Amino acid sequence: MKKETTYIPFTKEMKKDYTILIPNMLPMHFKFIEKVFGLYGIKSELLLTQGQHIKDTGLKYCHNDTCYPAILVIGQFIDALQSGKYDPEKTALIMFQTGGGCRASNYINLIRKAIVKAGYPNVPVISFSFSGLEKHSGFKLTLPMLHRMMYGIFYADLLMLLRNQCRPYEIKSGESEELAAKWMERLVKEMDSSHISYKKVKKNYKQIIEDFNKIPRKEVKKIRVGVVGEIFVKYSPLGNNNLEDFLVSEGAEVTVPGLLDFMLYSLYNGLVDKELYGRGKASYPVKKLAYKFLTGKQRDIIKVIEENSEFDPPTHFDHTVSLVQGYIGMGTKMGEGWLLTAEMLELADKGVKNIVCTQPFGCLPNHICGKGMMKPLKEKNPDINIVAIDYDAGATAVNQENRIKLMLANGE
């Protein structure tokens, strides 16, 4: 198939002096990815810009019916190119893709059209994908690179979980954030090591947990609120109007499932494809091995939390899969698919009955698997308190926050 005219490959020559801009979805996780890129000679920078001007810039260069996360990513990229901070002739952009049927595949073409329209036709847009959607000679994913990224995700998931469980109760305001940042800095430096020792990783897990355990906390009861939804608006402060900060300010303890769950979901779907459709037989053994590897690492994280603290650990992914049986078919895997329903059940199963389901306005997979599943979930679990919040360039934060306040008022 012929490439569209806006496709500019990222070459080996470009790798020497180009800076790759990374959109901000998970600040903590993507900081590790940025560091790993640097270890392999790839200069990159995570964009942390926020504000109404990001939305306005995105709307200027793409249709207002475009999916909201796409508007934000496009706005963040073009705002950066227009800022004067980066040389457009020495800058590339990167988009993280799964190869699925919605944003995962189509955004990259929207980004390319938008940056051409904005006057930057020579800026390469790199596809970060395991599906082999594109080839870029200057950007290749290797096993050692992916290995380091995985451990970065494990660390970031753990730090996010512990920070969220300490932050609402801390006596000294900001101490949880400061400790997470301190550990981030230390762990990022350790990525320079030529060999990642798993023994050292598990030792770090234990030390991180011990440090968070030492944070002086108030003995008070807070309402626990889970956050699920489309992956960008679930995690990105830019995408959800700083939802976690708002919930904490309203006296809630926030629980957000980790990124590892989404990785396991993506792998599990590959295994299910063989059973449902007879597809992917050649890659099935590799996917099964990867799934076994990641579930094993998840078990280790859960075990070290349980053995060294009273913190609430993540749920075993196999248990998450079992919870969704009888609610939605495993072939429902567009976007977040059945995982969105499963994560709501996972939260309820661990006692987090109040749930904010975040979704871009008009996002069909999320309206079906999130908002559309609220009625059957409540019929079988009448104590679940769910509110679906639409995020869109035209939606006001005041309206979103008022609906969340109403949910909190009805919560326990």
Side-chain angles (χ1 to χ4, degrees), residues 168-335:
Y169 308 100
E170 61 191 14
I171 292 172
K172 180 184 175 185
S173 179
E175 189 168 4
S176 303
E177 287 283 3
E178 288 172 9
L179 182 58
K182 176 185 171 185
W183 267 105
M184 274 286 297
E185 186 177 349
R186 173 176 165 177
L187 295 170
V188 159
K189 287 179 180 176
E190 285 187 12
M191 287 286 177
D192 283 332
S193 173
S194 58
H195 171 69
I196 293 180
S197 163
Y198 192 48
K199 184 178 179 181
K200 173 68 172 174
V201 169
K202 289 196 285 188
K203 185 179 178 183
N204 282 339
Y205 290 162
K206 188 176 179 181
Q207 288 179 342
I208 291 168
I209 293 164
E210 288 173 355
D211 279 359
F212 275 92
N213 250 334
K214 292 174 185 174
I215 292 177
R217 300 189 292 278
K218 305 167 190 171
E219 294 289 336
V220 294
K221 184 180 179 181
K222 298 270 187 176
I223 184 170
R224 299 176 74 195
V225 180
V227 177
V228 299
E230 189 275 333
I231 193 168
F232 189 92
V233 294
K234 174 170 71 171
Y235 289 125
S236 173
L238 173 64
N240 60 35
N241 291 330
N242 297 291
L243 175 60
E244 289 186 38
D245 289 346
F246 173 73
L247 287 169
V248 172
S249 73
E250 290 295 312
E253 176 192 329
V254 184
T255 301
V256 188
L259 184 59
L260 179 55
D261 274 14
F262 187 82
M263 293 169 62
L264 287 166
Y265 157 77
S266 300
L267 278 170
Y268 190 83
N269 285 338
L271 304 181
V272 169
D273 276 355
K274 179 176 176 288
E275 298 171 18
L276 293 180
Y277 314 114
R279 269 176 22 184
K281 291 180 181 178
S283 61
Y284 182 84
V286 176
K287 289 176 181 175
K288 190 173 182 179
L289 187 65
Y291 181 79
K292 184 179 179 181
F293 171 81
L294 289 179
T295 51
K297 300 304 180 189
Q298 185 188 54
R299 279 193 296 272
D300 288 344
I301 293 170
I302 293 169
K303 184 179 178 183
V304 74
I305 293 172
E306 290 176 338
E307 290 179 349
N308 295 280
S309 73
E310 296 298 319
F311 291 119
D312 190 16
T315 300
H316 291 279
F317 190 75
D318 288 337
H319 182 58
T320 301
V321 173
S322 72
L323 290 171
V324 82
Q325 303 303 319
Y327 286 92
I328 190 170
M330 304 309 282
T332 312
K333 54 191 181 62
M334 188 68 69

Side-chain angles (χ1 to χ4, degrees), residues 351-375:
V352 184
K353 306 290 186 178
N354 308 289
I355 300 168
V356 178
C357 182
T358 63
Q359 50 194 30
F361 178 73
C363 176
L364 188 58
N366 278 264
H367 277 279
I368 293 169
C369 302
K371 197 171 186 178
M373 290 302 297
M374 285 168 59
K375 183 178 178 182

Side-chain angles (χ1 to χ4, degrees), residues 59-62 112-120:
L59 287 169
K60 186 176 179 181
Y61 294 103
C62 63
R112 285 176 177 145
K113 289 176 182 177
I115 62 172
V116 168
K117 186 177 178 182
Y120 304 101

